[in-house]
Amino acid sequence: MKKNNFREKLAEFLTEDELSGLKTAFDVVGDIAILEIDEEFKNKEKQIANALLDYHKNINTVLKKAGEHTGKYRRQKMQFVAGEDKRIALHKENNSFIYVDVERSYFSPRLSTERKRIMQQVNSGENILVMFSGVGPYPCVIARNKQPRRIVGGQRNHAAHKMALLNTKKNKLKNVEFFKGDVNQTIPKLTKKPTIGLKSNWRENHLKKKLAHKLQILEIYIGRGDLENYSKEFENSIASLAKKGYTLVLHAPIVYRE
């Protein structure tokens, strides 16, 4: 008899106390499941992974997070646990196919709804620039569902850029181009039109470079620990930008647990 949910499968070999302390939420990228398993469950992680494979037939690989997102490319080390040992998956969302190297490039399946929201704001015939485009989810989703004139994406992570080029072919996109390089150096070569919006950290040394452009919109990235440790400085920075008339979008891809 099939268990009603994943937790019931886990209850076959975990005690109630263990089950209450286990993080059972996981991300799925294509056919790869990514778990977050604490050290206290290390001796049972293989059983946990196999239970996941047994219950979710669409999953062929189970990896576990082996650290935080680090470095300028926000890479996250993964450790193989069960199934097929691989790091590249074909993810499907919003009528698009997206190849992802989960260890060498940043990609969040949780942003699928946000990508759809942005896509729905695109009008036919528009030219679109996507900075820090990664493996190309925004260009692919927009191009597959709308009729933009041209989409250009930029990314300096070689592994992500390689996946983006592959995704262009997979989705048979003729109006999408990706360039590899630092956007500060490549954007001026692409267009002489004014820049509408940019993404930046809220700290002054990051903002200074971005504010050198004539902007209307600023997407402010909030990192781990910023709100806890620098709340006053953060509030002052946001208040100053708002006073200058910028339209601000706050981006905080952080999950907090008690």
Side-chain angles (χ1 to χ4, degrees):
M1 181 178 177
K2 185 177 176 64
K3 299 297 181 182
N4 291 328
N5 55 51
F6 179 41
R7 290 184 69 88
E8 288 190 12
K9 291 286 294 183
L10 296 173
E12 294 178 1
F13 56 88
L14 294 178
T15 66
E16 288 187 12
D17 286 343
E18 287 176 327
L19 194 55
S20 65
L22 179 68
K23 298 169 183 173
T24 55
F26 56 91
D27 287 331
V28 177
V29 180
D31 64 344
I32 296 178
I34 302 172
L35 294 171
E36 187 173 350
I37 304 176
D38 292 332
E39 189 66 24
E40 63 184 285
F41 294 100
K42 185 173 179 59
N43 64 331
K44 292 187 177 181
E45 64 181 28
K46 192 78 172 180
Q47 285 179 281
I48 295 169
N50 283 327
L52 185 60
L53 287 171
D54 184 48
Y55 186 75
H56 293 277
K57 300 302 182 182
N58 61 316
I59 294 173
N60 295 315
T61 300
V62 179
L63 306 176
K64 77 168 186 176
K65 298 177 182 179
E68 301 288 341
H69 287 100
T70 59
K72 60 184 178 181
Y73 300 145
R74 298 185 67 199
R75 289 174 173 170
Q76 185 172 46
K77 289 184 179 180
M78 302 286 178
Q79 183 177 327
F80 171 71
V81 185
E84 180 185 350
D85 191 351
K86 64 177 183 178
R87 303 296 185 276
I88 296 177
L90 179 60
H91 188 74
K92 299 178 183 179
E93 72 161 64
N94 295 316
N95 195 35
S96 304
F97 299 94
I98 305 169
Y99 280 105
V100 181
D101 186 327
V102 298
E103 193 168 48
R104 301 177 64 201
S105 54
Y106 177 81
F107 175 83
S108 174
R110 303 183 188 190
L111 293 176
S112 172
T113 302
E114 176 64 8
R115 287 188 278 269
K116 182 178 181 180
R117 185 186 70 84
I118 295 297
M119 172 267 290
Q120 291 173 334
Q121 298 182 49
V122 173
N123 296 316
S124 297
E126 288 188 322
N127 292 311
I128 300 168
L129 172 64
V130 182
M131 293 181 288
F132 321 108
S133 52
V135 299
Y138 278 100
C140 289
V141 168
I142 293 171
R144 287 278 292 183
N145 293 280
K146 293 289 186 172
Q147 291 78 44
R149 181 169 178 265
R150 181 190 184 205
I151 302 178
V152 177
Q155 172 62 239
R156 61 180 179 179
N157 179 350
H158 176 74
H161 177 67
K162 183 179 178 180
M163 292 289 104
L165 295 177
L166 186 60
N167 291 330
T168 303
K169 294 180 180 179
K170 180 65 178 177
N171 289 284
K172 300 179 181 180
L173 304 177
K174 304 298 183 182
N175 57 345
V176 175
E177 304 170 55
F178 290 103
F179 65 85
K180 178 178 173 292
D182 189 323
V183 295
N184 291 311
Q185 299 173 8
T186 52
I187 287 177
K189 300 175 184 178
L190 290 172
T191 178
K192 294 183 179 180
K193 293 181 180 180
T195 304
I196 301 300
L198 285 176
K199 182 176 181 179
S200 176
N201 189 287
W202 57 271
R203 290 175 172 81
E204 184 177 355
N205 59 327
H206 289 266
L207 284 168
K208 188 175 181 180
K209 294 180 181 179
K210 303 298 188 297
L211 296 181
H213 302 272
K214 293 182 178 180
L215 303 173
Q216 297 176 20
I217 302 171
L218 267 174
E219 179 183 351
I220 303 298
Y221 179 84
I222 306 170
R224 184 180 295 276
D226 284 353
L227 298 180
E228 297 92 335
N229 302 319
Y230 306 100
S231 60
K232 192 62 178 178
E233 295 91 334
F234 172 76
E235 290 175 9
N236 290 338
S237 177
I238 296 301
S240 176
L241 291 168
K243 189 174 181 180
K244 292 176 182 177
Y246 293 106
T247 297
L248 303 177
V249 178
L250 303 185
H251 180 197
I254 305 168
V255 176
Y256 290 93
R257 297 183 178 89
E258 294 184 357

